[in-house]
Amino acid sequence: MLFSFFFVYFAANFKKMKKILYIVLMVAAMVSCGSDYEEQKRLSKAERLRLAKEDSAALKVGTLPTMDCLPLFLAKEHCMFDTAKADIRLKCFDSQIDCDAALKKGSIEGNVTDLVRGERMKRGGLALKYATATNAGWQFVSNRLSRVTELKHLNEKMVAMARFSATHLLAQMAVDSAKLGRDNVFMVQINDPNIRLKMLLNNEIDAMLLPEPQATTARMWKHPVLMDTRLKDMKLGVVAFREKALADKNRKKQYEVFVKGYNTAVDSINKYGVKKYGDLIMKYMKADQQTIDALPDMKYERMKEPRAKDLAAAARLAP
């Protein structure tokens, strides 16, 4: 009798009880999800703080998508920086101006730049140590469709470069050597070398300064080279560090590890050749396999301070 009563009651109120049960389960789930979310949020915040602390303690070096950075990419990827002694991190930038901006505001301790920009940053009050000269070079390349086969043909043409950099200085030197007058050539600021190259390949500009490997791609597509800094005995590329950062004793130890790793990478590149590390060139510089196969033989020097003549030229001629 009692069983029958409960059966009838349950059957009569099934929909109502089902709704109540559903609400109870939903509330429980929401409470659980809210608790999980808050816990995840708390853990995520703790994780972010931990990662930020580790990044702050690491020696951070800014790089560019260019061949002068190959020793850095190799040292990092092939564990040539002694990770037991120092946490050295590379921060990749597409353009020189962004890389230098990070150095100036202190979010990185060192970077790959050039003496022209370095001397300009010094004049702006940033104390820098030039750790080493690099093998950076630039080629003045013209668009094959613009019919610019000599520097004197640049009159009323557009030239892509990065302002207040080695490319700016070299562009002005080229214009001066052709006796054109700087107002007769239009300097266009394109900071990213890969964007510069794309503009050339898309016939959107008349001429530009290109580093390697971008210059090799341009040559492959039959764009003429009007000037090559390798033939002018100019070494304007450098790796620079903030002096304030290196004043710290822990940073000094990290810097020593950096120097050792950099030199090991240079020795390896000189022994096996740059094409041995085509995977790194493709990964960090966005070069295709044809470009890598066509790269010229390139030799790198162990860490050595810039030459006095290059320092003097940059200080005297920097825009």
Side-chain angles (χ1 to χ4, degrees), residues 222-237:
K222 309 301 181 184
H223 295 288
V225 177
L226 309 182
M227 185 180 76
D228 190 337
T229 58
R230 292 175 301 179
L231 305 178
K232 293 184 172 295
D233 190 29
M234 297 180 70
K235 296 183 178 181
L236 299 176

Side-chain angles (χ1 to χ4, degrees), residues 141-145 201 216-225:
V141 182
S142 67
N143 188 320
R144 61 189 176 89
L145 298 183
L201 300 180
T216 291
T217 304
R219 295 194 305 272
M220 284 172 50
W221 287 91
K222 309 301 181 184
H223 295 288
V225 177

Side-chain angles (χ1 to χ4, degrees), residues 108-126:
I108 56 178
E109 286 69 52
N111 76 341
V112 177
T113 185
D114 65 59
L115 287 173
V116 180
R117 288 194 65 86
E119 290 301 298
R120 183 176 177 82
M121 285 189 283
K122 279 187 173 182
R123 289 205 301 266
L126 181 63

Side-chain angles (χ1 to χ4, degrees), residues 263-284:
N263 288 337
T264 301
V266 164
D267 292 343
S268 185
I269 295 170
N270 290 339
K271 180 178 180 180
Y272 297 108
V274 295
K275 295 174 186 177
K276 168 77 173 177
Y277 304 106
D279 58 329
L280 299 181
I281 298 170
M282 188 175 294
K283 176 180 179 180
Y284 287 102

